[in-house]
Amino acid sequence: MSETKMVKLLIDGQEVTVPDGTLVVEAAKQLGTQIPVYCYHPKMDPVGLCRICLVEIEKAPKLQIACSTRVTEGMVVRTMSPKVAEARRGVLEFLLLNHPLDCPICDKGGECDLQDFTMEYGPGASRLTEPKLHKPKRVDLGPTIVLDEERCILCRRCTRFDNEIAQERNLVVVERGHNSLIGTIDGGDYESYFSGNTTEICPVGALTSKAYRFRARPWDLSHADSVCTQCSVGCNYRVDARFGNIMRTFTRENSDVDGGWICDRGRYTFNYLYEPARLREPLVRRDGDLERASFAEAVALTAEKLGAAAAAGRAGVIGGGRLSDEEAFALQLFARKVLGTNNIDHRARLQRYASPARFGARLRDLDDADLILMFGAITPEQAPILDLRIRRAVARNAAHLVFVGPFKPDLAVPFHYVEYATGAIGDLMEALADALKRGAQPQGAFAIDLARNLNEASKIVAVHNGRNPVAASALEQLIETLLAVGKRGGILVVGSQGNARGAEAVGCVPNLGPGYAPLANAGMTTAEMLTAAANGKLDALFIAGANPALTFPDGALARKALESVPFLAVAEQVMTETAAYANVVFAAASQFEKRGHVTNLEGRRQAFAQAVEAPIYVATDAAIVSALASALNKPDVLDDDPDWLFSRLQAVEQAAKPAEPLARPKLDPSVTAHGDNLDAQRKTFTVVPVPKLYAGGGPSLHDPGLAPMRPQARASFHEDDALLLGIAQDRVVTLTGPNGSITVAANVGTSAAVGTVLVTADMPEAPVNRLLDASGRGRVTVTPAPLRKEALA
Amino acid sequence: MATFEPVIMKGIGESDLADIDVYERGGGFSVLRKVMSDMTPDAVAAVVTESNLRGRGGAGFPTGRKWSFLPKDGRPRYLVCNCDEAEPGTFKDRMLLEKTPLQLIEGLVISAYAMGAKQAYIYIRGEFLEGSRIFRRALAAAQSRNYLGDRILGSDFSLDLVVHRGAGAYICGEETAQLESIEGRRGEPRLKPPFPAVAGLYGMPTVVNNVETLCYVKHIIERGAQWFAKIGPEKSPGPKIMSVSGHVRQPGNYEIPLGIPARELIDEYAGGLLPGRKLKAFQPGGASSAALFEEDLDVGIDFDSLAAKRTMLGSGGFVVMDDTACMVNCARTLTRFFEHESCGQCTPCREGGQWVARMVARLEAGEGSQEDLRVLNVINNTITGTNLCPLGDSIMPFLSSVLKRFPDEFAAHVAHGACPIKDVTAVVA
Amino acid sequence: MTPERLARGHELVARYPRPQSALVPFLQYCQEQDGYVTLQAMRDAAELVGITPGEVESIASFYTLLFKAPAGKHIVQVCRTLSCMLRGAEDLQAYIKRRLGIGHLETSADGQYYYEEVECLAACDRAPCLQHNLEYHYDVTPASFDKLLDSWQASAPAPAMPAE
Ligand SMILES: Cc1cc2nc3c(=O)[nH]c(=O)nc-3n(C[C@H](O)[C@H](O)[C@H](O)COP(=O)(O)O)c2cc1C
Ligand code: SF4
Ligand code: FES
């Protein structure tokens, strides 16, 4: 990298030195001089349309726009001269001409750039007696956004966001001149996982979110700096509350993590807190029914049963991936120091790792990668903001994107698809590593292609779903080989729970303590605990913030275990499929009701503040386990104070002696792969679970903000298979595996490979885990339901 | 009568110059032959630079200089011929397209050769369907005789020319909007820099030249730079077609030596005013130009003399208004034009332009107010000079000039609640 | 997409270094056949040139010669800009509207005629002028318009908006 040249210039008489090529508007910011802008947004290419930023630049014959003029040595800029003031006044006057001036009922009131700049630079009311031209108001733009065309000032930030940042290009400007409107094809829905960002960047009240409309005025809001835990990216955001109720969330830029954006799942998931499904007090099973109980009663009962089971060496703890780092740390302390067992595991679904043991990449690494390999991770569905980075890298920096997996996902940017059965990816990667190391030709045209891509690239980032252990270690081998030949690269593992990486790091795994310190006696993994419970070999289970009944791959096993275990205690925010089996349910505090840290997929530990108070009988997970510890006569082991926990955690981590290279969490005994190969008769089909952003049980199931976006459970077949089976689009089919069946509507197309059926994952109404075994595989037979008109109604 | 011997209009109306045999018989393509056999590209460009030819599309930028901005970096470069002619009052490019397409092709090939472009586009206004058909036929004929295509006339220069039709948008005449339009997008002007010479069509170095400009190139090469440079004023030389319309006896295209007084164009070329009428105003350079009046009739018609009068030669759309014309009515048709044609990117052009059009329409309908007049008198400051492209700066010049010259006529519309000028359209017999 | 359309689309795409350049020519071609730019044509165009249907709509709606709804078999576009106004365009417009029984941007009930006042057609020397299905008519008077109308009614109309 060459040194950037610095240039000196004068802005309103003040000297400033900035890198050559800096925009005048940014140079002014360094002096604390605000130049008003509407169309300009630092994250997007300058377009210079709104003209509010006009400034005087010496030697230029006309006023120039500060948002796209770049500084030069010796430039003299005036941002407050009478000419500038007149131009600004003019632009504001033009913008207000047909503006409805309905500020009193506008959500943006109080944080509107039109209002603010008008106060500061505006024309006053003088000429604004002009009769207004009317445009459509309250245009329903789709599930999340309402558009008021009259308030719109056509700065195009929203359409440019959809184009440049989201790369989706569905929100556009239609018509021209002063008839221009923001719209979509034929008035269709603006559906995007990122739609909420447009409400933030809209400088006026034209785009408002349905979830927040008319709910609060900005000056009434209290703010808490928080971190989203809906997925493992860990976007920074601000939680705004009014009188103790959360009203909205707002980006809080951390350019290394979120680049200033958040996805809609993160943005809108909080209203479940106010739904009836929210647990507000502990429940205890009496005569078969879960009934309200006091915290003391719940603690006493749980301590008694867990304590007894632990004494017999027959207790287990599952959870941690949805807790804070402090609480996950407390949970493993509870298991190890109170219950005296290493039977603790945060992995409640088919995920072997929350982190690569080595070669961890940073999100930033995607920005200048020239080859991005996606192995099985469907980033738009599992880590949307990470996907935005990939989109930008591909669209703007010409990064090459390759997806290797069992079906072709829907991605926003062009990519190269390599169809590969989940079970076989490891072999492929080994072959590739071999090819790179020794120049051997791998088998198959696509593999040769891939090897060539790898050879040509200088920086490679692999995004993995952490599921397949063989693939994971092969991937590590591959990256190691690449590094050895002088390339740069790393791996990002998209965890399936928001804080999976944190839980792993603080020791919520059976063979590692905090700081990845290896333990002499490994405890049981989740699968082992469930198997033991199902076989009557476990007397008590404590599950905190996990829902294996829905998410554990072998659903039949999970359900049998939960049914069979003599005592089950669950700490949860809402009633879940798992909590339904419990003897005791603790009402747990949400992320918003506590403070602490979480660790994202790149291992970055971030603090989050408390936004609101929890309801009175709701306790944090830390408070629950520390109450249990006290009841079990070990009050000194645990404290529920996050600061206490955090300092202990740090001390323990510092003292920890991790293995070199880092040891991996203990794996489940590998289940025999019943091959992914094609059943020539098409009597059975391989099941491939497909993640969807808005799927899921628990909070997301109960959140009214997400309800309109929830997907329908679907089974997708290749069109050739569909023909053989005699099923058409939308036909209802029953998929039957050895342990259960589900009934869903069919999709017919080409995204599924021949011989496979893609099933929406994590849908409580049709849980795909009824069809899978503990290694996440399954084979099913397919029976079309009798044709009935109402079948789909 | 006029004595100037037409150059690019020569033969128009006498024979069918769109027929390649006719065109060749009149000496057509001989210049191209000469260029291909004994001139280097640089030599061609040097002659054009020396001639001081200024673009005939409106901005009057020296053509040779424009070509010289193309970076010599080996990237492909494009020549785009601008035939989007939509400036109200201008109708010369359509005539050249329909009547002498082969001359345009010859000029275009020579120009592409001079700048080293192997690919050219001609952007033909969507409304010119007939013109585009004539041009395509001419193009096919020229190709069949190897005046275009691979290894033109045995040289190692090849040129492909693609006809691209517009679809209804004045703004696509602006060069960067035109490039956007050819790329298949909304015809919205681009932010500059980068200028087209550096990053134009498909991001490659590009020159956009007007139809008339390219036609002159051929004659400059044929007759020499000095021949051209000696016609008219030194800094604004050469012949130019003026499209004369409105209240004159013989509206039409007239090729004049630049620099002749406006009076001569009206009286000698266009046959003078209609009987019994008095000149009220004239627009020398299309809808975007400020009006001039009786007292200005001696102004020279050339880039610099008109600029000195705070108006412009523009594309040469010369519109004459006599005493039957209502200035408010004229201003209304033109402000409505800009309102309709604004691409809508810039606030002052989009909103200000629409406001001005509404106010002027109100005045014409007799529903205007003193407040409207007051606003119209000052709004120039905030609309003009504040936009991204020159369209926004074209909204006010005509209106401001007639408002200043005929304030009473505007005031009368407010006072009477109607137009005080009768028989606006009496000329139609 | 019909095979003909696809073939034509590929032909247009091949003219340019980038497919999107063929967008408007392709829409013009579809419009010639369908009478306007249908939703299906926009979707086809999006697929052909590799952009979203929304982008196609954005672009199509920018250009006034692309109609987003059925306009008419006869598209009558009368110039309304200065030179024609000075030569009596307003009277002519009033006459034609009366004659056709429709106003600016309207289509007759039988779907035959569409009337529009348009900006300068670059025929100011023969004012007032109009275009009928993009064909020029000059120095139009009420009487000459009547004759034109008779001739349009007599002949089977060619495509209202020819593509090339
Ligand atoms: C709003 C607007 C419309 C224009 N329309 C045309 C046009 O129709 N034809 C044209 O040749 N130039 C037009 N121009 C000028 C072009 O931008 C450009 O300067 C010209 O085509 C360059 O060619 P020349 O150097 O040969 O004149 C227009 C400019 C503006 C700002
Ligand atoms: S000045 Fe008008 S026409 Fe030109 S870019 Fe701006 S809005 Fe478009
Ligand atoms: S902020 Fe500069 S033009 Fe809009």
Side-chain angles (χ1 to χ4, degrees):
Chain A
M1 279 243 183
S2 59
E3 280 284 295
T4 29
K5 195 181 129 202
M6 301 299 280
V7 300
K8 207 184 285 170
L9 68 153
L10 274 182
I11 300 180
D12 297 328
Q14 280 177 279
E15 199 177 278
V16 63
T17 306
V18 292
D20 196 12
T22 304
L23 298 169
V24 171
V25 64
E26 296 293 340
K29 266 187 209 163
Q30 306 215 343
L31 289 171
T33 302
Q34 188 208 29
I35 297 174
V37 293
Y38 288 125
C39 62
Y40 176 71
H41 189 282
K43 301 268 168 218
M44 301 190 271
D45 294 343
V47 284
L49 314 173
C50 74
R51 320 302 289 180
I52 188 76
C53 68
L54 287 165
V55 293
E56 222 176 317
I57 294 181
E58 237 169 55
K59 296 203 192 86
K62 299 200 294 181
L63 296 179
Q64 301 292 313
I65 40 176
C67 72
S68 70
T69 307
R70 300 193 182 270
V71 297
T72 52
E73 181 65 43
M75 186 181 255
V76 178
V77 183
R78 274 185 281 277
T79 76
M80 292 183 264
S81 68
K83 266 181 86 178
V84 171
E86 180 176 33
R88 274 182 201 165
R89 217 180 310 121
V91 170
L92 285 165
E93 181 173 52
F94 296 143
L95 289 176
L96 293 171
L97 207 55
N98 294 309
H99 189 87
L101 300 176
D102 52 355
C103 313
I105 55 151
C106 178
D107 287 331
K108 208 74 171 197
E111 52 188 13
C112 168
D113 290 343
L114 188 57
Q115 217 175 29
D116 294 351
F117 296 160
T118 304
M119 293 290 289
E120 237 169 298
Y121 318 107
S126 60
R127 300 181 198 161
L128 299 175
T129 48
E130 185 73 23
K132 308 271 178 200
L133 289 183
H134 291 290
K135 284 187 173 183
K137 284 181 90 72
R138 283 177 298 280
V139 180
D140 189 336
L141 264 193
T144 49
I145 308 283
V146 179
L147 163 66
D148 186 323
E149 302 268 19
E150 285 189 347
R151 292 181 189 157
C152 170
I153 58 168
L154 293 168
C155 69
R156 304 193 184 184
R157 281 188 187 176
C158 55
T159 57
R160 284 151 56 215
F161 171 83
D162 194 44
N163 174 357
E164 283 177 44
I165 308 288
Q167 295 289 330
E168 293 174 3
R169 300 183 201 86
N170 295 317
L171 196 62
V172 295
V173 178
V174 293
E175 306 297 331
R176 76 172 186 216
H178 66 90
N179 295 320
S180 301
L181 297 170
I182 302 302
T184 53
I185 176 88
D186 203 36
D189 277 358
Y190 166 49
E191 280 183 38
S192 167
Y193 289 165
F194 307 99
S195 70
N197 292 298
T198 62
T199 64
E200 273 191 33
I201 58 175
C202 178
V204 297
L207 293 170
T208 51
S209 84
K210 286 185 178 171
Y212 177 65
R213 260 166 84 79
F214 307 130
R215 294 197 52 190
R217 311 295 287 172
W219 51 84
D220 287 339
L221 296 172
S222 63
H223 309 299
D225 285 351
S226 189
V227 175
C228 176
T229 51
Q230 289 295 316
C231 82
S232 55
V233 175
C235 299
N236 296 189
Y237 68 178
R238 197 183 76 203
V239 180
D240 290 355
R242 177 169 172 265
F243 308 138
N245 284 340
I246 300 172
M247 292 289 123
R248 66 172 180 186
T249 57
F250 216 84
T251 54
R252 182 167 70 84
E253 180 175 351
N254 180 340
S255 48
D256 290 334
V257 178
D258 47 53
W261 314 114
I262 55 178
C263 79
D264 286 358
R265 178 165 173 142
R267 181 183 298 272
Y268 295 124
T269 307
F270 60 80
N271 274 316
Y272 72 90
L273 293 176
Y274 312 110
E275 290 299 300
R278 174 79 206 271
L279 293 170
R280 293 167 174 276
E281 57 210 321
L283 306 172
V284 167
R285 193 172 297 277
R286 299 191 190 101
D287 300 329
D289 290 328
L290 281 170
E291 288 173 5
R292 295 155 62 177
S294 71
F295 186 64
E297 183 188 347
V299 168
L301 182 59
T302 307
E304 180 199 328
K305 302 284 185 187
L306 260 183
R314 291 164 67 97
V317 177
I318 297 173
R322 234 184 258 146
L323 311 186
S324 67
D325 288 349
E326 289 86 343
E327 291 179 321
F329 174 65
L331 190 69
Q332 65 86 35
L333 276 181
F334 176 68
R336 297 197 162 107
K337 299 278 157 69
V338 179
L339 302 181
T341 175
N342 279 330
N343 293 344
I344 173 158
D345 201 343
H346 72 279
R347 293 166 294 182
R349 56 172 73 215
L350 185 67
Q351 192 192 14
R352 267 44 179 169
Y353 316 104
S355 70
R358 305 149 74 193
F359 314 125
R362 294 243 139 188
L363 287 163
R364 276 268 193 205
D365 287 325
L366 289 165
D367 300 349
D368 61 347
D370 41 16
L371 178 62
I372 300 171
L373 297 173
M374 263 157 100
F375 288 110
I378 318 290
T379 50
E381 309 291 345
Q382 296 177 293
I385 294 296
L386 181 155
D387 199 57
L388 274 197
R389 253 178 221 275
I390 295 182
R391 295 180 191 193
R392 201 167 171 85
V394 173
R396 291 309 191 86
N397 307 337
H400 188 58
L401 176 63
V402 179
F403 180 90
V404 184
F407 67 96
K408 186 170 183 183
D410 219 354
L411 302 182
V413 285
F415 66 106
H416 186 78
Y417 168 54
V418 177
E419 187 181 310
Y420 231 76
T422 328
I425 291 180
D427 304 340
L428 171 66
M429 263 164 319
E430 269 166 26
L432 289 173
D434 210 42
L436 282 163
K437 224 184 304 190
R438 273 183 249 118
Q441 270 297 35
Q443 292 275 304
F446 59 87
I448 295 170
D449 239 32
L450 258 180
R452 191 175 39 82
N453 286 333
L454 286 167
N455 257 322
E456 283 167 5
S458 66
K459 180 167 180 184
I460 298 117
V461 176
V463 186
H464 192 229
N465 61 10
R467 288 198 178 165
N468 183 323
V470 185
S473 58
L475 183 57
E476 283 177 14
Q477 240 187 71
L478 179 61
I479 296 287
E480 187 170 17
T481 313
L482 290 167
L483 298 181
V485 297
K487 298 180 187 288
R488 292 177 299 149
I491 306 173
L492 287 166
V493 175
V494 176
S496 40
Q497 284 188 321
N499 199 29
R501 174 93 187 234
E504 183 184 273
V506 304
C508 289
V509 278
N511 62 325
L512 299 171
Y516 294 92
L519 301 175
N521 303 310
M524 291 191 235
T525 63
T526 303
E528 286 167 342
M529 286 188 260
L530 293 176
T531 312
N535 296 335
K537 292 186 180 148
L538 222 52
D539 293 341
L541 262 178
F542 181 71
I543 299 183
N547 188 7
L550 181 69
T551 63
F552 190 74
D554 187 344
L557 173 66
R559 278 183 296 273
K560 177 143 188 262
L562 299 174
E563 240 168 49
S564 320
V565 70
F567 180 80
L568 173 66
V570 172
E572 258 303 353
Q573 301 176 54
V574 295
M575 246 348 244
T576 60
E577 292 71 22
T578 300
Y581 290 96
N583 302 83
V584 174
V585 179
F586 289 96
S590 70
Q591 158 93 9
F592 309 103
E593 296 155 340
K594 59 195 181 193
R595 68 194 161 87
H597 293 78
V598 281
T599 301
N600 79 349
L601 79 170
E602 45 175 3
R604 180 190 302 272
R605 187 170 273 163
Q606 308 187 95
F608 65 92
Q610 182 171 347
V612 290
E613 289 296 326
I616 182 154
Y617 299 120
V618 168
T620 64
D621 292 277
I624 295 166
V625 286
S626 79
L628 290 171
S630 297
L632 288 164
N633 298 320
K634 300 251 173 95
D636 300 338
V637 174
L638 267 176
D639 191 308
D640 66 348
D641 174 31
D643 297 332
W644 184 89
L645 285 167
F646 193 62
S647 59
R648 283 298 294 269
L649 168 60
Q650 281 184 310
V652 176
E653 277 182 334
Q654 274 190 350
K657 292 196 182 55
E660 181 60 46
L662 278 189
R664 291 223 189 83
K666 178 186 169 191
L667 297 182
D668 290 329
S670 80
V671 184
T672 38
H674 42 138
D676 280 336
N677 38 8
L678 198 59
D679 167 359
Q681 271 74 50
R682 306 295 159 74
K683 290 226 177 78
T684 60
F685 288 78
T686 304
V687 179
V688 179
V690 178
K692 282 278 173 199
L693 183 62
Y694 298 122
S700 61
L701 175 67
H702 297 291
D703 199 290
L706 300 188
M709 286 96 88
R710 261 187 98 72
Q712 213 194 354
R714 286 276 180 176
S716 305
F717 296 90
H718 191 274
E719 53 196 17
D720 295 351
D721 288 345
L723 207 63
L724 278 176
L725 290 163
I727 48 180
Q729 179 69 23
D730 295 338
R731 179 81 181 269
V732 174
V733 296
T734 299
L735 309 178
T736 310
N739 300 317
S741 66
I742 62 172
T743 298
V744 287
N747 273 343
V748 175
T750 49
S751 52
V754 168
T756 65
V757 50
L758 311 181
V759 185
T760 320
D762 298 339
M763 302 296 289
E765 61 272 36
V768 69
N769 73 351
R770 282 198 191 142
L771 310 176
L772 305 173
D773 66 17
S775 61
R777 302 198 192 157
R779 279 195 166 268
V780 289
T781 54
V782 180
T783 352
L787 272 182
R788 269 189 297 128
K789 268 237 154 60
E790 340 51 277
L792 268 176
Chain B
M1 246 321 278
T3 52
F4 188 73
E5 171 80 24
V7 179
I8 57 174
M9 282 180 66
K10 187 169 165 233
I12 287 181
E14 290 157 24
S15 54
D16 181 11
L17 296 171
D19 180 318
I20 195 158
D21 293 320
V22 176
Y23 181 68
E24 279 183 343
R25 273 201 298 280
F29 289 114
S30 59
V31 186
L32 178 62
R33 266 179 213 290
K34 178 177 135 201
V35 166
M36 288 297 132
S37 60
D38 39 67
M39 282 180 87
T40 64
D42 286 349
V44 177
V47 177
V48 173
T49 305
E50 192 196 333
S51 76
N52 227 342
L53 168 66
R54 292 173 64 173
R56 266 43 175 163
F61 197 85
T63 306
R65 279 240 329 267
K66 193 190 270 192
W67 296 358
S68 74
F69 293 152
L70 290 172
K72 298 196 173 20
D73 55 7
R75 283 186 295 164
R77 43 185 59 185
Y78 298 112
L79 168 61
V80 174
C81 173
N82 190 340
C83 186
D84 192 46
E85 188 174 55
E87 180 72 28
T90 314
F91 42 89
K92 62 185 177 78
D93 295 338
R94 185 166 75 88
M95 172 194 68
L96 294 169
L97 180 76
E98 291 179 1
K99 302 296 179 198
T100 171
L102 291 157
Q103 171 177 253
L104 171 57
I105 289 171
E106 189 172 1
L108 190 150
V109 178
I110 295 169
S111 304
Y113 175 72
M115 63 186 81
K118 296 185 181 61
Q119 178 69 56
Y121 295 87
I122 177 167
Y123 189 94
I124 301 182
R125 185 176 167 184
E127 285 82 349
F128 297 173
L129 176 68
E130 185 58 20
S132 74
R133 287 177 172 162
I134 294 170
F135 188 83
R136 277 185 211 278
R137 282 198 293 273
L139 180 61
Q143 255 156 352
S144 73
R145 298 191 187 180
N146 196 215
Y147 296 128
L148 231 104
D150 280 346
R151 307 185 64 88
I152 294 171
L153 300 174
S155 69
D156 14 329
F157 176 63
S158 304
L159 179 71
D160 180 46
L161 172 61
V162 168
V163 177
H164 189 94
R165 273 186 73 215
Y170 163 70
I171 190 62
C172 290
E174 193 280 334
E175 55 183 6
T176 58
Q178 185 156 99
L179 302 180
E180 287 287 296
S181 187
I182 296 176
E183 289 184 18
R185 289 196 283 268
R186 293 164 65 88
E188 291 172 340
R190 295 177 181 171
L191 201 59
K192 290 181 267 194
F195 290 91
V198 177
L201 191 59
Y202 308 115
M204 296 298 158
T206 302
V207 164
V208 180
N209 272 138
N210 173 254
V211 167
E212 187 186 352
T213 311
L214 295 177
C215 287
Y216 278 119
V217 167
K218 167 192 146 146
H219 298 275
I220 289 168
I221 301 303
E222 181 174 20
R223 303 206 210 172
Q226 283 312 308
W227 157 79
F228 190 86
K230 293 237 163 70
I231 299 169
E234 188 191 336
K235 297 221 166 90
S236 186
K240 157 115 194 67
I241 301 178
M242 296 299 290
S243 300
V244 186
S245 66
H247 292 147
V248 291
R249 282 197 222 210
Q250 292 158 21
N253 283 315
Y254 298 103
E255 194 169 8
I256 61 158
L258 284 177
I260 65 164
R263 187 188 302 284
E264 191 180 329
L265 179 63
I266 298 174
D267 290 344
E268 308 281 315
Y269 285 84
L273 296 177
L274 297 162
R277 302 287 179 76
K278 268 189 67 197
L279 180 77
K280 189 164 182 181
F282 62 97
Q283 247 186 326
S288 308
S289 60
L292 293 176
F293 311 98
E294 225 185 331
E295 58 272 27
D296 303 310
L297 274 171
D298 292 321
V299 67
I301 299 182
D302 61 76
F303 290 107
D304 303 323
S305 307
L306 288 167
K309 287 267 182 197
R310 325 199 85 200
T311 181
M312 61 178 188
L313 177 59
S315 51
F318 195 98
V319 185
V320 178
M321 290 152 266
D322 68 22
D323 53 354
T324 61
C326 164
M327 289 299 112
V328 181
N329 174 267
C330 295
R332 203 248 313 167
T333 79
L334 294 182
T335 52
R336 181 182 56 193
F337 170 79
F338 291 115
E339 174 197 24
H340 187 256
E341 299 300 338
S342 166
C343 82
Q345 293 189 98
C346 310
T347 309
C349 174
R350 179 186 72 238
E351 302 295 333
Q354 174 263 135
W355 190 16
V356 166
R358 275 164 80 189
M359 285 187 283
V360 178
R362 238 178 359 233
L363 285 170
E364 193 195 15
E367 291 155 11
S369 64
Q370 288 299 331
E371 174 66 6
D372 289 335
L373 287 180
R374 202 186 62 73
V375 172
L376 287 178
N377 272 301
V378 296
I379 202 168
N380 189 25
N381 294 345
T382 48
I383 292 189
T384 308
T386 54
N387 297 290
L388 187 155
C389 93
L391 187 145
D393 298 348
S394 306
I395 300 169
M396 292 307 294
F398 177 80
L399 173 61
S400 294
S401 64
V402 295
L403 195 56
K404 190 158 162 222
R405 179 66 162 66
F406 301 104
D408 297 347
E409 196 164 318
F410 282 79
H413 277 76
V414 178
H416 292 209
C419 178
I421 313 249
K422 299 291 169 220
D423 294 332
V424 177
T425 54
V427 284
V428 175
Chain C
M1 216 182 317
T2 63
E4 293 90 322
R5 256 185 209 193
L6 193 62
R8 182 66 181 155
H10 287 318
E11 209 176 294
L12 291 168
V13 165
R15 283 186 193 170
Y16 300 94
R18 291 193 199 155
Q20 195 172 336
S21 287
L23 177 64
V24 168
F26 181 73
L27 293 175
Q28 284 168 328
Y29 170 75
C30 297
Q31 172 167 273
E32 173 178 279
Q33 297 183 325
D34 302 339
Y36 70 105
V37 177
T38 63
L39 196 56
Q40 188 56 46
M42 288 200 275
R43 294 193 193 284
D44 290 348
E47 198 184 311
L48 177 75
V49 309
I51 59 177
T52 67
E55 287 178 292
V56 176
E57 171 149 349
S58 170
I59 296 156
S61 63
F62 186 87
Y63 295 100
T64 55
L65 289 179
L66 296 176
F67 293 91
K68 281 210 299 176
K73 297 236 167 358
H74 300 275
I75 293 182
V76 182
Q77 296 174 306
V78 186
C79 177
R80 67 174 185 188
T81 322
L82 183 56
S83 302
C84 281
M85 291 295 247
L86 293 171
R87 290 275 179 165
E90 270 168 320
D91 288 346
L92 178 69
Q93 288 160 2
Y95 179 79
I96 297 178
K97 283 188 274 196
R98 240 189 355 263
R99 209 38 242 280
L100 297 178
I102 45 177
H104 177 47
L105 299 176
E106 285 176 9
T107 301
S108 60
D110 59 4
Q112 286 293 309
Y113 289 93
Y114 167 83
Y115 173 82
E116 184 180 1
E117 286 155 21
V118 297
E119 301 302 347
C120 181
L121 288 169
C124 319
D125 52 340
R126 315 270 317 259
C129 66
L130 62 78
Q131 286 197 313
H132 164 252
N133 295 354
L134 294 186
E135 189 186 333
Y136 275 100
H137 298 281
Y138 305 107
D139 304 316
V140 186
T141 61
S144 72
F145 180 77
D146 284 344
K147 281 205 203 108
L148 284 174
L149 199 56
D150 290 343
S151 71
W152 298 338
Q153 265 153 1
S155 63
M161 283 281 138
E164 279 196 355

